[in-house]
Amino acid sequence: MQYDRSAHCVYYHRYHIVWATKYRYKVLTGDLALRVRTICRQVCKENGVSILHGVLSTDHVHMFVSVPPKIAISNLVRKMKGRSSHNIQREFPEIRKQYWGRRFWGRGYFSTTTGAIRAGFKSS
């Protein structure tokens, strides 16, 4: 296990994040999937987030990321979903027919933390 460092702290924050397209339409293919991947990478790079593993399925996104303590996971997901939705609908006009109402992603997301807990640790 390798800890991450910032100016005044050492941390190990790992999140598994999943979100899906609205109506679970299987549209994340070809150029559209590559564009979503590029946008997510840009947002993570801008916020100092390391992508440890990521999978883009045809109707949802899985990401395993290391997030610095100064970033709220809800803000990270909001930025990725918001920017990708805006850009996808602008760059791929055929998507607008399926996704009227300016929403590309489903409303929510799933996140869970992962961490290293020592075996035999007892709380007092």
Side-chain angles (χ1 to χ4, degrees), residues 2 4 11-16 52 64-66 112-114:
Q2 184 172 348
D4 297 314
Y11 61 94
Y12 186 81
H13 295 175
R14 304 294 191 256
Y15 290 92
H16 178 208
L52 305 173
F64 186 57
V65 294
S66 173
T112 185
T113 57
T114 62

Side-chain angles (χ1 to χ4, degrees), residues 9 11 13 17 21 23 26 34-35 38-39 42-43 53 61 64 76 78 86 89 92 95 97 106 109 113 117 122-123:
C9 72
Y11 61 94
H13 295 175
I17 308 166
T21 59
Y23 310 120
K26 298 183 182 311
L34 291 175
R35 186 65 178 128
T38 302
I39 293 168
Q42 286 173 348
V43 170
H53 189 68
V61 176
F64 186 57
L76 176 66
R78 178 183 53 81
H86 178 76
Q89 292 187 37
F92 297 89
I95 288 296
K97 294 176 185 172
Y109 66 94
T113 57
I117 305 296
K122 293 184 180 180
S123 61

Side-chain angles (χ1 to χ4, degrees), residues 94-117:
E94 65 275 8
I95 288 296
R96 277 193 241 152
K97 294 176 185 172
Q98 277 185 306
Y99 291 105
W100 55 274
R102 307 174 83 187
R103 304 265 194 276
F104 180 72
W105 300 108
R107 284 183 73 183
Y109 66 94
F110 167 81
S111 74
T112 185
T113 57
T114 62
I117 305 296

